Amino acid sequence: MELRVKLFGMLRSRVERRSIQLTLADSDPTVADALARLEREHPELAGELLEDGRIVTTVTVLRNGRLVDRDAPETVPLEAGDELSLTPPITGG
């Protein structure tokens, strides 16, 4: 299964790309699987996305424009053609 990962901020700078096509061979993959795969395939992202199975506080993850719960990325299933956006945390004021 293929999906697109869009990168913003420091993550884009580290990978030097705006987006990555990611292929997952897992059956019933989740957001956690995709993030772990990104860390394996792109050493410059190692430790920057997941910590103890949770999304790190310095990254906000959206699946098809919807916020992914940082405490439970393993509960969010992925489908072919999905798009993940990895951004710095969004703050307001």
Side-chain angles (χ1 to χ4, degrees):
M1 168 180 61
E2 292 205 11
L3 62 129
R4 181 177 175 193
V5 180
K6 292 173 64 177
L7 304 165
F8 297 89
M10 64 157 182
L11 299 174
R12 180 184 287 178
S13 296
R14 289 184 185 198
V15 178
E16 297 180 348
R17 293 168 65 185
R18 292 178 183 261
S19 67
I20 296 170
Q21 285 298 121
L22 188 65
T23 302
L24 297 173
D26 308 338
S27 61
D28 302 322
T30 66
V31 169
D33 295 327
L35 297 178
R37 179 72 173 252
L38 280 169
E39 286 188 334
R40 284 192 309 273
E41 289 186 3
H42 297 276
E44 60 274 23
L45 296 179
E48 297 293 327
L49 305 176
L50 291 172
E51 183 176 6
D52 297 325
R54 298 175 61 202
I55 298 170
V56 298
T57 58
T58 55
V59 175
T60 298
V61 178
L62 303 172
R63 175 187 169 249
N64 299 330
R66 301 192 79 183
L67 184 63
V68 173
D69 181 358
R70 83 176 53 257
D71 294 324
E74 76 283 354
T75 66
V76 181
L78 292 171
E79 296 177 12
D82 278 354
E83 181 178 87
L84 294 180
S85 297
L86 310 181
T87 68
I90 299 168
T91 60

